[in-house]
Amino acid sequence: MVALSDHPMTWVMAGDSITQAVYHTHGARGWVEHVQERVCWQLDRLTDIVVNSGVSAWKATDVLGAYDFVIGRFAPDVLSLSLGTNDARAGLDGVN
């Protein structure tokens, strides 16, 4: 559960293609767009920023290696990491 601030918040969603939602959705909205809609409209937080920094085919090591660029520079108040699909494809080697 997120404690909502009285001030505008930055929400960062980082991960793989499921987060990026470009290739597999064929142009349809992905889950990050649904979150943005709920945050900005249903919660009436019109000045909150929702950033989608997902990158197709990335694994946990990729996100960690690019942390400053895909997460850190936004100084998020809320961070969601959606990873594991590509890591799991590597079997036990992907667990490292």
Side-chain angles (χ1 to χ4, degrees):
M1 186 60 130
V2 175
L4 297 177
S5 170
D6 292 336
H7 303 286
M9 296 173 65
T10 301
W11 306 61
V12 173
M13 313 309 180
D16 54 24
S17 61
I18 294 171
T19 302
Q20 187 182 39
V22 174
Y23 179 75
H24 299 290
T25 61
H26 307 288
R29 294 188 311 167
W31 70 267
V32 176
E33 287 81 13
H34 290 282
V35 168
Q36 181 179 20
E37 181 178 309
R38 291 193 180 272
V39 167
C40 293
W41 296 107
Q42 291 182 344
L43 296 178
D44 196 31
R45 299 187 59 83
L46 301 177
T47 57
D48 280 17
I49 300 296
V50 179
V51 178
N52 182 342
S53 65
V55 179
S56 184
W58 269 20
K59 295 183 243 176
T61 53
D62 298 310
V63 174
L64 184 59
Y67 175 88
D68 289 337
F69 186 73
V70 298
I71 299 168
R73 68 179 171 149
F74 301 109
D77 300 293
V78 179
L79 172 63
S80 172
L81 292 173
S82 294
L83 295 162
T85 304
N86 297 309
D87 301 274
R89 290 182 67 205
L92 290 177
D93 292 334
V95 177
N96 297 328

